[in-house]
Amino acid sequence: MEFFSQTYIAIRGPTGAPQSPLETITKLADRLGPSTLLSDRRASILALKGLAKDPKLRSDVGDYALRGLLDVLENDAEVDPDTAIPVVETLDLLCDPEDDPSMKTLGPKYMDTILENDKAVHKLIVLASQQSFTPRTVTLHLLGVLLKHRKAKTQQYFLTLPTGPAIALAMLDDPREMMRNESLGFWELLIAKNQDIQKLLAFQGAFEKLFNIIETEGGVESRVNAESALTCVDTLLRFNSANQNYFRESTFPATLLSLLQYPPDILPQEPAPQPFALQFWDELKERNAALVVGMIGLLVSSKASKTQATWTAARCLAELALASNAPTRVKAKALSLLPGDFDLPLTQMIITPYIPVPDTNGEEWDRLESSSAFDVLVELILHAEYNGTIAPARRRDPLDLRAAALRVFCNFVNTDEMKEMIVQSMLPQDGSSPVTPLLHCLITSHNAPLDIAAITSTQFASLIFAHLIRGAPRAKSAALKIVPPSGDVTASSEGNFFVPADNSGGAPPPPPPEDEDDPLPLMQILTEHLSLAFISRPRMQVGDAPTRETREWDRIIINYICLLVQWLWDDPKSVRAYLEAGGLTLLVEPIGQPMEASDGLIQSLCAFLLGTCYEFNREPGEITRATIHQIITRLGVDMLTDKIGSVKEDVRFREIEPEAFVLEYPTPKEASVDAEIEGEAEAWFDWAFLDFWKSNYYTAQRAVAAGPNSSATATSSGGSGQGNDQESQMLLSSLREVISNQAHEIQTLQKSVKDSAASSKTKGDEIASLKAQVESLTKQVTEGEEKRKEREKEQEDLLVLLDELSSKRRGDKERMRVAGLEVSEDEDEDEDEDEDEDE
């Protein structure tokens, strides 16, 4: 009753006359001074808190009472919890702009008033150390508001409080789950984007306390607090090299692997345990595992030396993506975090993938035959995870996974020797090339109705093959010799790991039909597929919107053009093979079509391919540069130049990023297509082609504007010009071949130098070993010499002592004779012998 009486009197005033809200707030603010009793101050704060809940009166409370509230916070809050709770809650109402839109302008003003000095923040941090639930909760919420909207200054004040780190760390030791939850939320805001606080807390035991919470909460399996603690660990590590070095030198990296059930001490030859490969996954575990994978990738991608622990962590990422039932997003993240300069031995790494049993809802899995990680990676790129049995549609997550796998492949196959070796594995044997999974997807023909999964497989096969031949002259030369078998081709079981481990082997392949046509080179097959795609693409009237089928045919056409233009670039022999296969006639009609009746991107790429053929047509043949120049003149040089440069204006080209080339379907969003599927995505180009085009499009533009004899020696006679042009072309081709051979010799010599360096290192080790032996023997000789000198000195001392004893004995005998005592003859003889020796 006393509390209500005091509150009533404070609001009513001494005379009981009616007051306006502003007068009431002013009187309540006056009663917050130190001259008022603590109970009266507490009553006034409670009244102000009630008034601040009214959005109309909140600004008046802030303007007239904020200073008094801060004085009470500084003087009374720590000693009186009943006063601390309402004063902090009132400050929270005045600062938090999320409760009331009108506070979006007033809240920041009041926060700036609170943060004029460090007293309020210091007092709030001290209040947060109290064990009572309510004071700590309301204090952490207010600190969170200050950190969210005035992060830099609040963090600065935290660093000036000597007991601040200890208080923050003590919050994590609270056994109450709700208190830990509030503390972790405060930690996430406190350590964000401040390396000083991160290092200060990390080196005082933050990692230990956070991992203790994670283990207490059950690891990545469940509960929200584990996710918050993992988020804090990730924040402490990311963009903080000092914390990363400290973390790497501790046992925490092994703890991260254990959270994913991957043994940190696994030997290279040991297979991954089945509990790691087959786990139960839910949404919360997926988020937690993604955080763990991110931290493992952060440690693997570090510039520090590659230790055994780093190799194990990289292997964990690879096996999680290639041989486990982890969610697709986690797999994609694991592959994307494998650094490009990390030499992971994919060809020597043997893994055992799994595939879900149909109609079991992922509860039963078949173990497949063990295979190298490289083969599994290629199968993943070509056919998606689990051979496309789960998500055959073009969904975003599976496409991101295949794109990440493609980047790993390109980083692994990064030398001309490796590229040439893979291409040579597809060269003819006994008349035709072996049908590897890559070659099978590359030569697969597409007919209506289109199969989206097959189109995507061909597209990714083209991206792989383009990487193998791009900028590799010897690989291009080998690719010209690839002759796939004719007829319908299916992927052979060789190189295909999607076979159950208990399968004894499939039936032998059927014999080829007797009337089968002669096999064609790969270049001609791709040219015919491009021609078929142009014919099969539905004809569009001017103004018609593209249908889904038309869009897929456009994707196929663009895929083939991109592969061919990278193959033909700077390779006259490939250009000659393409022209002899009839590829020139395919480019003229699309370029000349109206823009509204065709895909403008196809027209631009056709112009780019035409410019490539014209620029590098340096081999003798029926179709000369003069022939192509006539076509260019008829189409228009300015028009071709504009079309080549307009590739960069297409949104499907502009949206490509170095680490992401999967786009939303459809791109652009305003594209009118039917049968849209929610969550579907698409891919048109990879970053490698984007970089290739940017580096070379100007050369193609300049080429179409040049004359057919631009690179030949000018002559005045009418008939000799063509002969000189052909001679120049042959000379240029010869020089290019010489340059290619010299480049190959340079690579061979570099390899020899590396081998010599390795041999020199071995010899250096032997010399060091011999030097160590010499030093050891020298030490032994020195020690033996010192012992010999010690023995000689001891012998000399013994001889001196013996001489002294002999002299004393002779004196004793002489005295005995003088005294008339008897001296034995032996003693006389001995004495005589001694005298003779002396003489």
Side-chain angles (χ1 to χ4, degrees):
M1 291 299 294
E2 181 182 358
F3 164 73
F4 289 107
S5 176
Q6 293 174 347
T7 304
Y8 174 72
I9 293 174
I11 297 175
R12 182 197 63 187
T15 62
Q19 299 182 23
S20 65
L22 180 58
E23 294 175 341
T24 303
I25 293 172
T26 304
K27 291 185 177 181
L28 291 173
D30 292 339
R31 296 176 63 84
L32 297 178
S35 60
T36 311
L37 295 176
L38 178 60
S39 57
D40 292 340
R41 293 198 296 272
R42 187 188 310 122
S44 299
I45 294 171
L46 290 170
L48 289 170
K49 173 187 171 183
L51 294 172
K53 291 180 180 180
D54 188 348
K56 298 179 181 180
L57 303 178
R58 192 171 298 171
S59 59
D60 293 333
V61 174
D63 292 340
Y64 292 94
L66 181 56
R67 297 288 182 181
L69 292 172
L70 292 177
D71 292 338
V72 173
L73 174 67
E74 181 181 352
N75 299 322
D76 303 330
E78 188 174 356
V79 297
D80 184 19
D82 293 335
T83 303
I85 295 173
V87 73
V88 173
E89 289 177 338
T90 306
L91 293 173
D92 191 24
L93 287 171
L94 296 176
C95 294
D96 194 354
E98 297 181 2
D99 292 343
D100 183 10
S102 63
M103 295 302 296
K104 292 187 179 297
T105 56
L106 295 176
K109 182 181 72 171
Y110 298 145
M111 282 187 279
D112 291 336
T113 303
I114 294 175
L115 297 176
E116 286 179 353
N117 54 60
D118 59 4
K119 294 180 180 179
V121 174
H122 287 179
K123 187 60 65 176
L124 290 172
I125 294 173
V126 173
L127 288 177
S129 64
Q130 295 185 5
Q131 294 298 319
S132 300
F133 177 78
T134 304
R136 178 184 290 187
T137 303
V138 298
T139 303
L140 290 178
H141 187 271
L142 178 56
L143 285 171
V145 172
L146 296 176
L147 286 168
K148 187 180 298 183
H149 300 282
R150 293 293 185 269
K151 182 183 298 293
K153 184 165 287 189
T154 308
Q155 290 174 331
Q156 178 185 352
Y157 291 158
F158 174 84
L159 289 171
T160 59
L161 180 63
T163 59
I167 293 174
L169 290 167
M171 295 179 187
L172 303 180
D173 293 329
D174 200 306
R176 294 168 291 184
E177 182 176 355
M178 293 185 63
M179 296 297 289
R180 284 203 307 269
N181 188 25
E182 294 291 335
S183 300
L184 289 170
F186 166 71
W187 264 66
E188 291 181 35
L189 296 171
L190 176 66
I191 63 179
K193 299 180 181 180
N194 191 301
Q195 293 190 1
D196 293 332
I197 296 179
Q198 292 169 4
K199 289 187 287 186
L200 184 64
L201 295 176
F203 284 87
Q204 293 191 21
F207 288 127
E208 289 84 349
K209 294 182 181 296
L210 290 170
F211 275 108
N212 182 50
I213 293 176
I214 295 169
E215 294 176 359
T216 303
E217 298 289 344
V220 299
E221 297 294 334
S222 60
R223 298 194 181 183
V224 179
N225 282 345
E227 181 180 5
S228 299
L230 286 170
T231 303
C232 291
V233 175
D234 182 80
T235 305
L236 290 173
L237 289 175
R238 200 161 299 278
F239 309 117
N240 196 316
S241 58
N243 284 0
Q244 292 176 18
N245 294 331
Y246 170 73
F247 190 90
R248 191 180 297 105
E249 294 172 359
S250 65
T251 60
F252 301 129
T255 304
L256 288 177
L257 298 182
S258 300
L259 289 174
L260 298 177
Q261 301 187 34
Y262 193 84
D265 55 349
I266 188 173
L267 298 177
Q269 66 274 13
E270 291 183 15
Q274 185 169 334
F276 162 76
L278 300 179
Q279 304 183 42
F280 174 77
W281 294 89
D282 56 15
E283 185 177 355
L284 181 57
K285 182 178 179 179
E286 179 181 347
R287 294 201 305 268
N288 292 338
L291 288 169
V292 176
V293 168
M295 286 182 278
I296 295 175
L298 191 65
L299 299 176
V300 171
S301 62
S302 174
K303 299 300 182 182
S305 60
K306 300 298 186 291
T307 61
Q308 183 59 42
T310 309
W311 286 99
T312 304
R315 180 187 171 188
C316 173
L317 294 178
E319 296 217 26
L320 184 70
L322 302 176
S324 77
N325 68 337
T328 306
R329 292 182 183 178
V330 177
K331 289 183 176 182
K333 186 171 186 178
L335 282 181
S336 64
L337 291 174
L338 285 174
D341 58 348
F342 197 95
D343 190 14
L344 192 64
L346 296 176
T347 53
Q348 288 81 31
M349 185 187 303
I350 304 301
I351 62 177
T352 304
Y354 294 83
I355 190 168
V357 178
D359 302 326
T360 61
N361 196 23
E363 296 181 359
E364 297 182 14
W365 294 76
D366 273 341
R367 180 172 58 87
L368 306 178
E369 289 183 345
S370 298
S371 180
S372 70
F374 184 78
D375 290 338
V376 180
L377 182 72
V378 173
E379 289 283 352
L380 174 61
I381 299 171
L382 296 177
H383 302 295
E385 57 181 341
Y386 313 128
N387 206 18
T389 57
I390 290 184
R394 205 157 35 213
R395 299 284 181 174
R396 180 65 188 243
D397 294 340
L399 271 184
D400 284 337
L401 175 59
R402 297 167 78 171
L406 178 64
R407 286 192 293 272
V408 174
F409 175 89
C410 294
N411 292 331
F412 181 73
V413 185
N414 58 356
T415 62
D416 289 347
E417 290 82 358
M418 295 183 68
K419 295 177 181 179
E420 184 180 357
M421 180 182 63
I422 296 176
V423 174
Q424 286 183 345
S425 67
M426 294 183 281
L427 294 183
Q429 299 175 4
D430 300 330
S432 61
S433 300
V435 184
T436 63
L438 172 60
L439 187 57
H440 174 266
C441 293
L442 199 60
I443 65 176
T444 299
S445 60
H446 302 282
N447 302 295
L450 293 175
D451 183 358
I452 292 181
I455 293 173
T456 309
S457 295
T458 298
Q459 183 179 14
F460 276 95
S462 300
L463 295 176
I464 292 178
F465 197 77
H467 173 74
L468 295 176
I469 62 177
R470 183 173 49 247
R474 301 178 70 88
K476 290 183 179 181
S477 299
L480 288 174
K481 303 175 184 177
I482 298 176
V483 183
S486 59
D488 294 334
V489 181
T490 57
S492 62
S493 60
E494 182 180 358
N496 189 342
F497 72 92
F498 285 102
V499 181
D502 56 354
N503 191 356
S504 59
E514 296 181 358
D515 58 347
E516 186 177 88
D517 297 332
D518 293 334
L520 300 176
L522 177 60
M523 174 69 76
Q524 187 168 348
I525 292 176
L526 295 178
T527 305
E528 291 184 356
H529 286 349
L530 178 59
S531 176
L532 178 63
F534 275 122
I535 296 173
S536 302
R537 181 183 186 272
R539 296 287 178 176
M540 293 173 53
Q541 300 297 326
V542 176
D544 288 351
T547 63
R548 183 181 181 89
E549 182 182 4
T550 304
R551 193 177 180 85
E552 295 306 319
W553 280 115
D554 290 344
R555 193 188 314 279
I556 296 173
I557 293 171
I558 290 174
N559 169 76
Y560 286 133
I561 295 176
C562 290
L563 174 58
L564 288 171
V565 76
Q566 293 176 88
W567 191 348
L568 271 55
W569 189 265
D570 199 16
D571 190 29
K573 291 182 179 180
S574 299
V575 172
R576 176 54 48 194
Y578 175 74
L579 295 176
E580 291 177 352
L584 183 61
T585 58
L586 304 177
L587 308 178
V588 179
E589 182 181 357
I591 296 175
Q593 287 182 351
M595 184 70 71
E596 296 81 1
S598 177
D599 190 330
L601 186 57
I602 292 179
Q603 294 181 335
S604 300
L605 292 174
C606 284
F608 187 32
L609 182 55
L610 178 62
T612 302
C613 293
Y614 181 60
E615 171 68 11
F616 299 105
N617 183 18
R618 306 297 181 182
E619 293 284 334
E622 291 184 10
I623 303 177
T624 63
R625 284 175 55 87
T627 305
I628 303 178
H629 183 262
Q630 294 177 1
I631 298 175
I632 292 175
T633 303
R634 187 171 70 250
L635 292 173
V637 173
D638 293 338
M639 185 269 288
L640 289 174
T641 302
D642 292 341
K643 285 189 178 296
I644 293 174
S646 64
V647 172
K648 62 178 179 293
E649 299 175 2
D650 195 282
V651 65
R652 292 167 289 182
F653 190 84
R654 295 199 316 265
E655 292 295 323
I656 303 301
E657 298 177 359
E659 300 297 329
F661 62 84
V662 178
L663 308 176
E664 294 183 0
Y665 181 86
T667 300
K669 294 182 179 180
E670 60 271 12
S672 176
V673 294
D674 55 357
E676 295 184 19
I677 302 175
E678 183 179 358
E680 189 174 3
E682 59 183 355
W684 294 90
F685 310 97
D686 63 346
W687 179 258
F689 178 79
L690 192 82
D691 186 61
F692 168 83
W693 183 88
K694 288 181 177 179
S695 301
N696 300 311
Y697 83 96
Y698 179 71
T699 302
Q701 287 180 320
R702 187 177 57 185
V704 298
N709 300 323
S710 59
S711 60
T713 303
T715 58
S716 58
S717 59
S720 60
Q722 185 177 358
N724 289 338
D725 187 30
Q726 292 181 356
E727 291 177 3
S728 300
Q729 293 172 8
M730 296 177 64
L731 178 61
L732 184 59
S733 176
S734 175
L735 291 175
R736 284 173 176 162
E737 184 68 23
V738 171
I739 293 173
S740 176
N741 293 333
Q742 289 178 348
H744 181 69
E745 291 177 1
I746 291 173
Q747 293 176 353
T748 304
L749 291 174
Q750 289 177 345
K751 184 178 180 181
S752 300
V753 169
K754 291 181 180 179
D755 295 341
S756 300
S759 176
S760 301
K761 184 179 180 181
T762 304
K763 293 180 180 179
D765 295 339
E766 294 178 356
I767 293 173
S769 177
L770 292 174
K771 286 183 179 179
Q773 293 180 7
V774 170
E775 292 178 357
S776 177
L777 293 174
T778 303
K779 184 178 180 181
Q780 293 178 5
V781 171
T782 303
E783 292 177 352
E785 184 68 21
E786 292 178 353
K787 290 181 180 179
R788 184 183 65 78
K789 290 181 180 180
E790 290 178 357
R791 291 194 184 96
E792 288 180 353
K793 184 177 180 182
E794 290 177 357
Q795 290 178 358
E796 291 177 357
D797 294 341
L798 289 175
L799 289 174
V800 172
L801 179 61
L802 181 60
D803 184 65
E804 291 178 353
L805 291 175
S806 297
S807 301
K808 183 179 179 181
R809 183 180 179 187
R810 285 196 298 269
D812 293 340
K813 288 182 179 180
E814 187 65 29
R815 286 194 295 272
M816 291 175 64
R817 289 191 183 98
V818 173
L821 297 177
E822 182 180 358
V823 179
S824 64
E825 296 179 357
D826 294 338
E827 292 177 351
D828 292 338
E829 293 177 357
D830 293 339
E831 184 177 354
D832 295 339
E833 291 178 357
D834 294 338
E835 292 176 355
D836 293 339
E837 291 178 357
D838 295 337
E839 293 176 357

